[in-house]
Amino acid sequence: MASHIVGYPRMGPKRELKFALESFWDKKSSAEDLQKVASDLRSSIWKQMADAGIKYIPSNTFSYYDQVLDTTAMLGAVPPRYGWNGDEIGFDTYFSMARGNASVPAMEMTKWFDTNYHFIVPELGPDVNFSYASHKAVDEYKEAKALGVDTVPILIGPVSYLLLSKPAKGVEKTFSLLSLLPKIISIYKEVISELKAAGASWIQFDEPTLVLDLDSHQLQAFTSAYADLQSSLSGLNVLIETYFADLTTEAYNTLIGLKGVTAYGLDLVRGTQTINLIKSNFPKGKYLFAGVVDGRNIWANDLASSLCTLQELEAVVGKDKLVVSTSCSLLHTAVDLVNETKLDDEIKSWLAFAAQKVVEVNALAKALAGQKDEAFFSANAAAQASRKSSPRVTNEAVQKAAAALRGSDHRRATNVSARLDAQQKKLNLPILPTTTIGSFPQTLELRRVRREFKANKISEDNYVKAIKEEIKKVVDLQEELDIDVLVHGEPERNDMVEYFGEQLSGFAFTVNGWVQSYGSRCVKPPIIYGDVSRPKPMTVFWSSTAQSMTKRPMKGMLTGPVTILNWSFVRNDQPRFETCYQIALAIKDEVEDLEKAGINVIQIDEAALREGLPLRKSEHSFYLKWAVHSFRITNCGVQDTTQIHTHMCYSNFNDIIHSIIDMDADVITIENSRSDEKLLSVFREGVKYGAGIGPGVYDIHSPRIPSTEEIADRINKMLAVLETNILWVNPDCGLKTRKYAEVNPALKNMVTAAKLIRTQLASAK
């Protein structure tokens, strides 16, 4: 009876790691305090899996920030700007790479495949002097062993590591990162040798890039890498784990042909076609780690259906060679349903978080071995049936309205340049108008007010008064800084998706359903369990209150339908696009109510548009078509004089720039500073963009305060490729996670830089 978990959340059931990290960063606690919280979390996770009966328990899935950064540390691939001395990498160097420090910026962060997790992108080149500089994988294996748990240590595979990297600044963009394979393989050999010496009998290499569209040269790199590692790996059982999508036939054949490999881990939830590849050709005597329990959603597994799948596979690979597993790491799901005290019993019966998924994996493994827990299986079947038939799930009117959308493409009647002229007459903005993205710092006092209101400890009148005071403070600050288009600062909002979900029907909410987004940042995705509609206006009161405090334009702030979809746990009983269209109709109602209330600038954030992009190029156009259509639905009914903004953050936009243009927003603000201004290269290559655009001029994810000169230099770089009359000046993202001591000087420098360039442009005429 064999069961396996690909990986597990690190933050802890109550975000213990988050609070320990932030306390350490704020110098309120010591490195030892942080290490103690971390080791307690690790030991409780190992014990939980051992107690549940899991046979192959992972180690080295814990991370203080990110698993790719851990691999960069293991390989000693520290960019020179961090002044690392070559010793074992400690917290100082590690967190400087992740977060930047007073003198140097952080490394780039980007989405992990199509999830809402972010990883730190390695910066490599021909001169990197790799060395074995972090013994974390071996230390954690030994730590578990000392607790009596024999684990499977997990490493990010060498080929995926290189394919996820980028050429460092100053290195030719055409540099072949895969040419570094022999250099990093020698470090991997050292790690493997230490793991063997410590007693490991299995090792797992995560090679998720195998699910991407790879060319023959890239596929050959896998063959070469594992051939090179073969002698080092002899005596070990080797599992190659892939996840998030199907493998192409070529990638599958490459995988099963790898030398020295004992087992293959495949995602059978998102990889719906992979099962056919297994049935047509599975190597004799090898293990299949079958990922049948969804690691990326919170719905309880349909155990009867999974058991049928496993029995089919057992006939192909053999009884003793089939291992029940999760589809990917459970990092992407919430930690434990036990901590959910507010969800009603019906909805709760439909769900499984990471801790419950561990139990599901084990129950399936036992059933496969002839020890089926009949009571567990019948309770599961009853929950599946109740979800299918519950009246809470279906709303006929919503289904009809969404179905009626298919006949139109929902474009605004006038083209963007005519709209921008009409808007400029109304708004009368200077060239290079300044704005911010939406949120302002959320102080402890503000969080306390929201928490107490939620717990009925303060009256609604007192809550509204406190929020109005906060909005006034933010409006006054922006006027003092002389920002052109203002925001209300979003003091009433906990999270840009949860805030809307709480006011829409068809959503449910957790108390502790936190999922790591990056570093210590966690999000609590809403659960979309049924048809979505908007019972009443959601933001109109706060936006019009804020507009009444100033004569300057005040942006209405909404989250777009695609982002609400991609940042929620979405129902899996209808296609995603159908749910997205339902959300778009709800946001459309809100946009039109804001316009009626006198809000002339409305921002509809689509921060997560790109992250929903399927991993396969062949599936891109279908996704982009419905995603962009959903955005246009939200604002197709407004007047030409109403300016529609959208915002997007961390992603590689260059390959979807034409879809972004097709969204037909009047102004787009977009992350730019941390990705080394990659975005601007699109415009250098001749893409014509006629709408307003604000590539971020500074990175808000770092505490560093940029100088006026630095921001002015960035604006000048933008003006080299963008027209003066379309460029906006703004930070990369919302300011919610920053402190006022960082925000005030940074915004002051930003406005000063914009004015400086305006003066230079005027005198150059």
Side-chain angles (χ1 to χ4, degrees):
M1 187 196 80
S3 49
H4 166 250
I5 305 295
V6 177
Y8 202 80
R10 310 120 183 190
M11 279 293 135
K14 303 270 178 80
R15 293 183 293 162
E16 291 84 349
L17 183 62
K18 170 193 172 66
F19 299 120
L21 282 166
E22 290 171 0
S23 169
F24 174 69
W25 293 336
D26 289 342
K27 299 190 167 45
K28 290 177 183 164
S29 59
S30 66
E32 293 72 29
D33 295 331
L34 175 56
Q35 285 160 336
K36 172 81 170 74
V37 169
S39 72
D40 287 350
L41 282 170
R42 287 192 296 268
S43 63
S44 74
I45 291 164
W46 291 326
K47 184 177 185 311
Q48 176 192 338
M49 289 197 209
D51 289 350
I54 300 297
K55 181 174 180 182
Y56 299 108
I57 296 172
S59 61
N60 200 37
T61 61
F62 175 85
S63 178
Y64 285 104
Y65 206 93
D66 163 52
Q67 69 270 19
V68 181
L69 183 62
D70 293 348
T71 311
T72 295
M74 180 183 91
L75 298 169
V78 181
R81 65 180 177 275
Y82 298 107
W84 173 56
N85 62 10
D87 294 342
E88 180 84 3
I89 288 173
F91 283 155
D92 274 2
T93 303
Y94 182 83
F95 289 130
S96 291
M97 290 192 284
R99 307 177 69 234
N101 59 38
S103 53
V104 288
M107 292 169 74
E108 183 189 346
M109 179 163 77
T110 199
K111 304 281 185 192
W112 177 244
F113 295 82
D114 57 349
T115 72
N116 184 33
Y117 177 77
H118 302 66
F119 73 97
I120 301 289
V121 183
E123 301 171 14
L124 304 176
D127 303 331
V128 177
N129 187 13
F130 295 101
S131 64
Y132 184 15
S134 165
H135 292 64
K136 176 180 176 293
V138 178
D139 292 344
E140 287 185 17
Y141 173 77
K142 288 178 177 171
E143 186 184 328
K145 198 166 185 189
L147 295 167
V149 183
D150 189 22
T151 58
V152 178
I154 297 181
L155 300 173
I156 287 185
V159 185
S160 288
Y161 178 77
L162 293 176
L163 291 176
L164 293 167
S165 301
K166 68 172 187 179
K169 212 169 189 169
V171 173
E172 285 296 320
K173 292 285 175 253
T174 53
F175 172 70
S176 165
L177 293 158
L178 289 174
S179 68
L180 298 171
L181 205 47
K183 289 184 179 177
I184 71 167
I185 289 285
S186 65
I187 312 293
Y188 274 87
K189 286 177 178 174
E190 288 185 64
V191 181
I192 292 161
S193 149
E194 282 198 9
L195 285 168
K196 274 164 91 168
S201 57
W202 277 84
I203 186 168
Q204 174 178 323
F205 291 100
D206 280 11
E207 291 282 14
T209 55
L210 271 167
V211 305
L212 302 176
D213 292 310
L214 300 178
D215 60 33
S216 56
H217 170 65
Q218 291 167 322
L219 288 172
Q220 180 55 43
F222 288 93
T223 306
S224 311
Y226 288 92
D228 196 354
L229 285 171
Q230 188 179 4
S231 57
S232 303
L233 290 168
S234 71
L236 277 173
N237 289 297
V238 178
L239 164 62
I240 307 290
E241 185 66 52
T242 71
Y243 34 79
F244 299 149
D246 279 309
L247 293 171
T248 60
T249 306
E250 296 77 13
Y252 179 76
N253 290 335
T254 299
L255 173 67
I256 61 173
L258 295 178
K259 297 277 198 298
V261 173
T262 324
Y264 314 105
L266 300 169
D267 180 341
L268 302 180
V269 176
R270 291 193 170 223
T272 49
Q273 305 306 309
T274 301
I275 209 154
N276 299 329
L277 292 170
I278 297 166
K279 286 177 182 173
S280 65
N281 179 20
F282 192 80
K284 234 178 171 37
K286 302 290 187 184
Y287 288 85
L288 171 63
F289 281 59
V292 291
V293 171
D294 192 351
R296 286 186 56 176
N297 218 324
I298 42 61
W299 303 108
N301 189 274
D302 183 339
L303 295 177
S305 167
S306 293
L307 188 56
C308 285
T309 302
L310 290 164
Q311 285 162 340
E312 277 178 52
L313 291 168
E314 193 177 54
V316 177
V317 306
K319 202 172 183 64
D320 59 337
K321 297 296 184 205
L322 184 62
V323 178
V324 183
S325 185
T326 53
S327 65
C328 61
S329 172
L330 298 176
L331 174 70
H332 309 289
T333 191
V335 181
D336 196 344
L337 199 52
V338 160
N339 297 313
E340 296 310 320
T341 48
K342 303 247 172 95
L343 281 174
D344 66 71
D345 288 346
E346 183 182 32
I347 288 179
K348 215 168 168 178
S349 75
W350 303 342
L351 307 177
F353 291 179
Q356 288 67 46
K357 289 176 188 289
V358 168
V359 174
E360 288 180 338
V361 165
N362 200 57
L364 286 165
K366 282 173 79 170
L368 206 54
Q371 301 161 35
K372 186 174 175 187
D373 181 337
E374 294 293 353
F376 189 73
F377 269 70
S378 62
N380 173 269
Q384 298 291 324
S386 115
R387 188 173 158 219
K388 281 192 182 86
S389 60
S390 173
R392 300 166 73 169
V393 172
T394 311
N395 177 331
E396 294 288 337
V398 171
Q399 297 247 332
K400 245 185 213 155
L405 291 170
R406 288 177 199 155
S408 161
D409 66 359
H410 298 91
R411 289 183 188 277
R412 289 170 78 179
T414 317
N415 73 30
V416 70
S417 58
R419 297 198 310 261
L420 287 172
D421 288 345
Q423 291 155 15
Q424 180 55 16
K425 284 192 184 102
K426 187 164 191 172
L427 299 172
N428 193 26
L429 297 170
I431 59 161
L432 309 181
T434 52
T435 190
T436 64
I437 303 305
S439 60
F440 264 66
Q442 299 235 334
T443 59
L444 288 171
E445 173 60 17
L446 180 56
R447 289 172 197 272
R448 182 190 63 76
V449 166
R450 274 208 316 264
R451 203 167 48 242
E452 290 189 353
F453 177 57
K454 216 167 182 177
N456 296 319
K457 288 183 181 168
I458 59 171
S459 70
E460 185 167 4
D461 286 353
N462 284 344
Y463 169 72
V464 169
K465 183 167 172 278
I467 297 294
K468 279 183 175 173
E469 282 169 9
E470 186 69 24
I471 292 172
K472 181 82 174 93
K473 190 173 87 180
V474 169
V475 169
D476 290 349
L477 171 64
Q478 292 170 94
E479 289 197 325
E480 193 184 309
L481 290 165
D482 206 15
I483 290 172
D484 300 305
V485 175
L486 310 193
V487 297
H488 76 289
E490 305 177 15
E492 77 287 9
R493 303 186 190 182
N494 42 5
D495 171 88
M496 64 185 281
V497 172
E498 187 173 343
Y499 178 76
F500 290 94
E502 282 175 341
Q503 301 183 75
L504 294 167
S505 59
F507 282 76
F509 294 87
T510 62
V511 179
N512 284 296
W514 297 98
V515 180
Q516 185 181 14
S517 174
Y518 63 86
S520 68
R521 171 110 169 98
C522 298
V523 291
K524 193 150 57 77
I527 297 165
I528 305 177
Y529 66 83
D531 290 335
V532 177
S533 61
R534 183 198 75 145
K536 61 180 196 294
M538 303 180 282
T539 65
V540 176
F541 172 75
W542 295 117
S543 289
S544 39
T545 297
Q547 183 63 81
S548 72
M549 296 173 178
T550 180
K551 290 194 163 51
R552 299 183 187 216
M554 173 63 62
K555 280 198 278 196
M557 300 298 308
L558 305 174
T559 302
V562 186
T563 297
I564 290 177
L565 183 89
N566 285 338
W567 285 356
S568 296
F569 288 125
V570 182
R571 58 191 290 191
N572 56 1
D573 59 347
Q574 71 177 16
R576 286 173 75 86
F577 68 83
E578 286 187 16
T579 304
C580 200
Y581 284 156
Q582 292 178 2
I583 303 167
L585 286 171
I587 299 298
K588 180 178 190 283
D589 290 345
E590 187 70 14
V591 167
E592 289 166 12
D593 281 347
L594 280 168
E595 186 184 56
K596 280 182 204 135
I599 302 299
N600 297 315
V601 183
I602 301 169
Q603 182 171 309
I604 306 164
D605 284 348
E606 282 296 13
L609 181 99
R610 194 193 184 286
E611 83 185 35
L613 200 62
L615 297 173
R616 279 289 149 63
K617 285 195 174 70
S618 59
E619 296 165 26
H620 285 192
S621 64
F622 177 66
Y623 166 77
L624 288 167
K625 194 175 172 189
W626 64 253
V628 168
H629 186 190
S630 296
F631 177 82
R632 287 201 308 263
I633 288 165
T634 65
N635 60 85
C636 63
V638 299
Q639 297 168 25
D640 287 356
T641 49
T642 298
Q643 190 166 80
I644 298 294
H645 288 225
T646 190
H647 171 68
M648 298 184 170
C649 44
Y650 291 144
S651 270
N652 298 317
F653 292 107
N654 300 17
D655 52 352
I656 62 159
I657 193 72
H658 294 288
S659 295
I660 291 173
I661 293 169
D662 199 37
M663 289 167 76
D664 198 27
D666 297 310
V667 178
I668 178 167
T669 52
I670 205 159
E671 187 274 333
N672 168 64
S673 68
R674 194 166 176 172
S675 57
D676 215 17
E677 292 153 2
K678 239 188 317 209
L679 171 72
L680 297 184
S681 65
V682 153
F683 303 110
R684 278 188 210 105
E685 286 152 19
V687 168
K688 288 281 171 273
Y689 192 73
I693 184 165
V697 295
Y698 80 91
D699 175 18
I700 67 89
H701 292 86
S702 168
R704 199 174 149 269
I705 296 158
S707 66
T708 300
E709 295 69 31
E710 188 183 323
I711 295 175
D713 180 50
R714 281 227 160 96
I715 297 170
N716 278 322
K717 278 185 185 162
M718 293 168 191
L719 286 171
V721 290
L722 292 164
E723 296 294 326
T724 313
N725 63 338
I726 65 168
L727 186 63
W728 284 64
V729 176
N730 45 265
D732 262 346
C733 220
L735 305 169
K736 176 179 169 180
T737 58
R738 298 267 57 90
K739 297 180 169 67
Y740 273 106
E742 298 154 353
V743 165
N744 293 8
L747 290 179
K748 186 178 179 204
N749 293 351
M750 180 186 88
V751 174
T752 306
K755 287 178 174 176
L756 182 74
I757 308 272
R758 280 176 203 158
T759 309
Q760 288 169 1
L761 290 168
S763 61
K765 275 182 181 170

